[in-house]
Amino acid sequence: MKIFIDPGHGGANTGAIANGLKESEINLDVALKLGDILKNNGYEIKYSRITDINLTLFERAQMANNWHANYFVSIHCNSAASRQANGSETFVYKFETPAAIYGESIQTQLILQNGLRNRGLREADYTVLTATKMPAALVELAFISNPQEARLLSSTEFQMRCARGIANGIINYINEL
Ligand SMILES: [Zn+2]
């Protein structure tokens, strides 16, 4: 079983910058922890990037397609103009698809582990969700623009809880097929 992990942004494309954090760095930290957990559970892992490089969204999807990944997950942090915005959410291309059940499993387990507000599963036509040929989900761990959540995102312990939640969601989904 092959899981493709995409740490969002990278290089000049830092993603959101707030509260002294760069989204691209947090995404990579959590993605690497997620990969370690999945490897320890016997899954094959490939990352879109393991260093601070910039790839297009289409390149990320194509890498997963060329590798014939069974599942795709992209890791991001949310950002909003309001410092109060908070919680975790997961995006899939369309509801009532295998990807939506996969995404719901990730979202449920993520919230169980990280304890944040559940913003639920949402639809979006992001390229990494539409150009991938396998079930794909994009996770927004927490709001980097929210001072409390930024503090959490910078801690190894919270990153580990997020990684464990996402891993549990993927593993539970596959085991229930
Ligand atoms: Zn992002």
Side-chain angles (χ1 to χ4, degrees):
M1 192 63 70
K2 296 160 89 168
I3 318 288
F4 190 92
I5 303 174
D6 173 41
H9 311 282
N13 171 10
T14 58
I17 296 184
N19 295 302
L21 301 180
K22 259 191 210 171
E23 184 195 343
S24 53
E25 291 179 358
I26 305 292
N27 296 344
L28 182 57
D29 286 346
V30 173
L32 293 174
K33 290 175 173 66
L34 170 62
D36 285 344
I37 297 169
L38 290 172
K39 267 185 246 169
N40 290 338
N41 281 273
Y43 293 90
E44 261 187 276
I45 298 304
K46 191 176 175 75
Y47 298 100
S48 56
R49 65 180 183 95
I50 54 169
T51 56
D52 192 23
I53 58 164
N54 191 8
L55 299 160
T56 68
L57 297 176
F58 189 71
E59 281 170 332
R60 296 165 198 256
Q62 222 171 13
M63 286 171 76
N65 291 342
N66 291 343
W67 188 54
H68 301 289
N70 296 99
Y71 298 97
F72 178 102
V73 62
S74 186
I75 308 297
H76 286 254
C77 302
N78 228 328
S79 180
S82 163
R83 292 159 66 88
Q84 269 80 53
N86 67 90
S88 303
E89 62 195 11
T90 298
F91 289 91
V92 295
Y93 176 41
K94 285 272 181 250
F95 292 148
E96 294 175 39
T97 59
I101 302 169
Y102 166 71
E104 187 70 53
S105 179
I106 291 173
Q107 174 67 15
T108 301
Q109 295 301 321
L110 174 64
I111 296 295
L112 271 178
Q113 291 294 326
N114 77 7
L116 296 189
R117 185 161 77 87
N118 189 351
R119 299 171 62 91
L121 187 73
R122 294 166 185 238
E123 285 186 332
D125 61 354
Y126 301 142
T127 299
V128 290
L129 302 179
T130 59
T132 39
K133 292 177 177 162
M134 67 295 304
L138 184 147
V139 180
E140 299 277 9
L141 302 168
F143 279 81
I144 203 167
S145 49
N146 175 306
Q148 285 88 32
E149 293 196 354
R151 204 171 309 129
L152 288 171
L153 284 166
S154 68
S155 90
T156 302
E157 194 255 338
F158 181 81
Q159 292 179 3
M160 197 64 209
R161 283 195 274 139
C162 289
R164 196 170 297 123
I166 296 166
N168 288 351
I170 293 171
I171 292 167
N172 286 3
Y173 173 79
I174 291 169
N175 289 344
E176 282 164 21
L177 283 181

